[in-house]
């Protein structure tokens, strides 16, 4: 790359024309790396502000290769205004999120209805027993009521915890940082269970809208720890999958899950845990959060024992370029 093509902050200044800023930082550097790698790159939803109004751009940098030689003679920068497109995508994502929330609400109502039904029946039985002066019975019925109420409290407290943590952050953060924060918050439990957490972060991943990803990684860490009550290893890794997506994996050395459960794991209220120990909401919530990113989560068992949960996050629409 020669200085003739990108002298100083020339590109930064040119791109800043038509915005409120004097210089648009970082673009000369990005363009240089495109020219030296010889591969074009697209930066999606780059925000710029004109007269106080923020629009979104798609910026494509393409190198022009030298004839019969390595390197580039220069390059092009194509700028498209994708604000409308991006807003439409957001509205669609919001509609999908609301639909998913609606489905979850229906299942929550159903799940709360079962213990409520039981409680009502036991209260009626207790009242009848008191009327008939069978005074040894109400205690037994009240114990059943208490069990039902505890189940309901567990469900509502997990949902409340979720909504409390769901102050969706609009900040762009490196994915390793979000994973680290989640792991750190679970470290005392991991130490107590004698679980070693190993990290393998593929370097240089772009920053991503942190949203509720912290919650996803907390849930996956918690599940891995639950699967290894007698200790083990949790391997957490992140990497780029081509130029399209980021991948984060949580692999543990627990017993894995039954293959016939593979489809059900992400259903709300599916749990194999003992009564009172799990609500079956964790993975369903993870899946809902990732839908907002147009991402997905899959589960598999590894041949050497243990399970692996893989999160795939498309880069398009989720990143800032100059991270
Ligand atoms: P909960 O943990 O309350 O049961 P989740 O939705 O988080 O709810 O998990 C659903 C089910 O998926 C668990 O009950 C368990 O059967 C299975 N599961 C989740 N994570 C793991 C794991 N790391 N290893 C084995 N099974 C798992």
């Amino acid at each position: 790359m020669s200085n003739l093509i990108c002298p100083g902050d020339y590109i930064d200044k040119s791109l800043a024309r038509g915005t409120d800023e004097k210089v648009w930082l970082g673009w000369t550097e990005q363009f240089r790396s495109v020219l030296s790698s010889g591969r074009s790159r697209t930066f999606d939803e780059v925000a710029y502000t004109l007269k106080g109004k923020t629009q979104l751009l798609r910026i494509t940098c393409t190198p022009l290769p030298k004839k019969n030689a390595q390197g580039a003679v220069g390059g092009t920068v194509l700028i498209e205004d994708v604000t409308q497109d991006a807003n439409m995508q957001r509205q669609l994502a919001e509609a999908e999120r609301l639909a998913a929330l609606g489905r979850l609400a229906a299942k929550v109502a159903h799940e709360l209805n079962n213990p409520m039904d039981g409680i009502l029946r036991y209260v009626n039985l207790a009242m009848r027993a008191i009327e008939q002066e069978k005074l040894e019975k109400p205690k037994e019925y009240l114990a059943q009521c208490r069990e039902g109420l505890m189940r309901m409290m567990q469900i509502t407290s997990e949902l409340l915890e979720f909504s409390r943590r769901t102050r969706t952050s609009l900040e762009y953060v490196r994915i390793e940082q979000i994973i680290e924060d989640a792991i750190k918050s679970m470290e005392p439990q991991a130490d107590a269970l004698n679980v070693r957490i190993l990290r393998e972060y593929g370097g240089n991943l772009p920053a991503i809208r942190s949203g509720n990803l912290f919650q996803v990684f907390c849930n996956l860490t918690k599940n891995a720890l639950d699967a290894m009550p007698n200790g083990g290893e949790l391997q957490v890794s992140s990497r780029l999958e081509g130029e399209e997506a980021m991948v984060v994996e949580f692999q543990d050395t627990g017993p894995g899950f039954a293959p016939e459960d593979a489809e059900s794991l992400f259903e709300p209220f599916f749990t194999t845990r003992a009564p009172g120990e799990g609500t079956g909401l964790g993975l369903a919530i993870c899946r809902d959060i990732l839908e907002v990113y147009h991402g997905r989560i899959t589960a598999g068992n590894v041949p050497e024992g243990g399970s692996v949960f893989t999160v795939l996050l498309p880069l398009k629409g989720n990143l800032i370029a100059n991270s």
Side-chain angles (χ1 to χ4, degrees):
M1 163 54 230
S2 100
N3 278 339
L4 275 176
I5 302 164
C6 290
D9 56 4
Y10 166 73
I11 293 186
D12 293 343
K13 279 188 178 150
S14 310
L15 285 176
R17 262 183 236 145
T19 78
D20 291 352
E21 326 248 329
K22 287 207 171 58
V23 172
W24 231 18
L25 283 176
W27 288 96
T28 305
E29 216 33 64
Q30 294 290 359
F31 199 58
R32 277 206 173 107
S33 84
V34 164
L35 294 188
S36 60
S37 72
R39 283 162 51 202
S40 75
R41 265 187 90 182
T42 300
F43 303 93
D44 246 316
E45 297 193 19
V46 179
Y48 83 103
T49 308
L50 180 60
K51 293 185 188 141
K53 196 171 157 217
T54 300
Q55 303 277 95
L56 298 169
L57 301 181
R58 176 180 299 139
I59 301 183
T60 309
C61 305
T62 312
L64 297 171
K66 276 184 193 151
K67 228 181 185 177
N68 308 325
Q70 285 256 314
V73 286
T76 59
V77 180
L78 176 71
I79 303 178
E80 297 161 82
D81 186 339
V82 292
T83 314
Q84 248 188 342
D85 218 25
N87 285 343
M88 197 107 88
Q89 294 273 358
R90 289 217 175 112
Q91 276 166 14
L92 263 173
E94 185 59 14
E96 277 169 26
R97 201 180 67 83
L98 288 176
L101 210 65
R103 286 197 297 274
L104 183 65
K107 288 195 171 147
V108 170
H110 176 78
E111 203 68 14
L112 289 178
N113 212 38
N114 288 339
M116 269 186 341
D117 201 45
I119 291 166
L120 188 63
R121 263 186 297 117
Y122 282 114
V123 167
N124 286 337
L125 282 173
M127 283 171 70
R128 206 170 313 146
I130 291 169
E131 275 163 21
Q132 294 169 357
E133 293 188 9
K134 294 182 185 158
L135 294 182
E136 73 292 352
K137 283 284 175 195
K139 192 173 172 200
E140 188 189 312
Y141 298 147
L142 283 176
Q144 297 288 347
C145 289
R146 186 172 54 190
E147 211 165 281
L149 284 170
M150 276 162 67
R151 166 93 186 128
M152 288 168 67
M153 271 170 63
Q154 203 190 1
I155 294 170
T156 49
S157 75
E158 196 151 322
L159 286 170
L160 280 174
E161 172 73 356
F162 172 57
S163 68
R164 196 170 57 77
R165 286 194 199 169
T166 321
R167 260 179 270 117
T168 311
S169 164
L170 292 174
E171 235 185 304
Y172 283 80
V173 184
R174 285 187 176 281
I175 195 114
E176 296 93 320
Q177 189 56 54
I178 311 173
I179 303 171
E180 260 320 295
D181 289 348
I183 292 177
K184 287 258 159 61
S185 74
M186 295 280 172
E187 230 153 35
Q189 288 99 309
D191 289 345
L193 292 170
N194 213 10
V195 171
R196 221 154 68 95
I197 304 183
L198 309 169
R199 284 94 157 159
E200 199 185 317
Y201 299 137
N204 222 15
L205 297 186
I208 186 158
R209 196 160 34 86
S210 65
N212 293 313
L213 289 176
F214 172 79
Q215 171 85 22
V216 171
F217 301 138
C218 277
N219 282 348
L220 294 180
T221 310
K222 178 184 167 293
N223 277 351
L225 297 184
D226 286 345
M228 298 184 284
N230 301 316
E233 265 178 17
L234 169 61
Q235 170 97 39
V236 184
S237 59
S238 63
R239 61 173 193 276
L240 270 182
E241 188 101 314
E243 298 201 336
E244 301 293 309
M246 259 190 247
V247 171
V248 179
E249 277 181 350
F250 280 66
Q251 183 172 334
D252 61 55
T253 55
F257 52 85
E260 63 271 22
D261 290 342
E263 289 296 307
S264 318
L265 297 184
F266 300 96
E267 286 296 315
F269 301 108
F270 175 85
T271 181
T272 56
R273 308 204 195 284
E277 279 178 19
T279 55
L281 282 173
L283 289 176
I285 286 171
C286 289
R287 194 187 53 185
D288 272 10
I289 293 173
L290 291 168
E291 264 174 24
V292 177
Y293 290 81
H294 297 283
R296 58 172 199 270
I297 177 165
T298 53
N301 283 323
V302 282
E304 56 273 31
S307 60
V308 57
F309 286 79
T310 306
V311 170
L312 191 116
L313 288 159
L315 302 189
K316 192 166 173 269
N318 289 324
L319 305 178
I320 47 167
N322 49 350
S323 52

